[in-house]
Amino acid sequence: MFVAPDPGLVRLRVSLRAVLGIGLAVALAELAGFSLTASITAGLAALLALFTVGDPTVRRQAVTTALLPAAGFPVLALATLLHDLPSCATPPGSSSSSPGSTPAAGDRADTPSASSPSCSSS
């Protein structure tokens, strides 16, 4: 059996923090009666916080963790608002399929292209 060296048990401590943090976040979301989607989101937020916060002291880690929602909530709210808007990412004159052909495997027929009336070129 192969065992990787772990001087100071750093890998073990980081992995235990990840498992406990994600488990606690999901358990609290479930106990609060949130949906499965919300529970998964809580677990992902805990995982993101674990890898985002890399301050050297516990005090600075606590401050950074406390400030994460200040950046996260506005971004999440903006993404929620913009989710149903059409995407105009395709530049005019370039499309993934030529006129009269069938869409490629990854294309969606209901997604407007840059030439559609809902996307304006300015």
Side-chain angles (χ1 to χ4, degrees), residues 2-86:
F2 176 76
V3 178
D6 190 10
L9 302 177
V10 175
R11 291 180 190 170
L12 179 64
R13 284 188 284 140
V14 170
S15 60
L16 281 175
R17 278 181 37 196
V19 170
L20 292 175
I22 294 167
L24 183 64
V26 171
L28 287 176
E30 287 292 320
L31 288 174
F34 291 122
S35 67
L36 177 62
T37 304
S39 298
I40 292 170
T41 304
L44 288 173
L47 183 64
L48 179 65
L50 174 73
F51 291 113
T52 302
V53 179
D55 295 319
T57 64
V58 174
R59 178 176 168 77
R60 290 180 68 188
Q61 288 175 0
V63 170
T64 303
T65 302
L67 292 174
L68 282 176
F73 286 147
V75 170
L76 186 60
L78 183 63
T80 302
L81 291 173
L82 297 177
H83 175 71
D84 289 331
L85 293 179

Side-chain angles (χ1 to χ4, degrees), residues 4 53 77 80 90 94 100 107 113-114 119:
V53 179
T80 302
T90 308
S94 68
D107 292 346
S113 66
C119 298

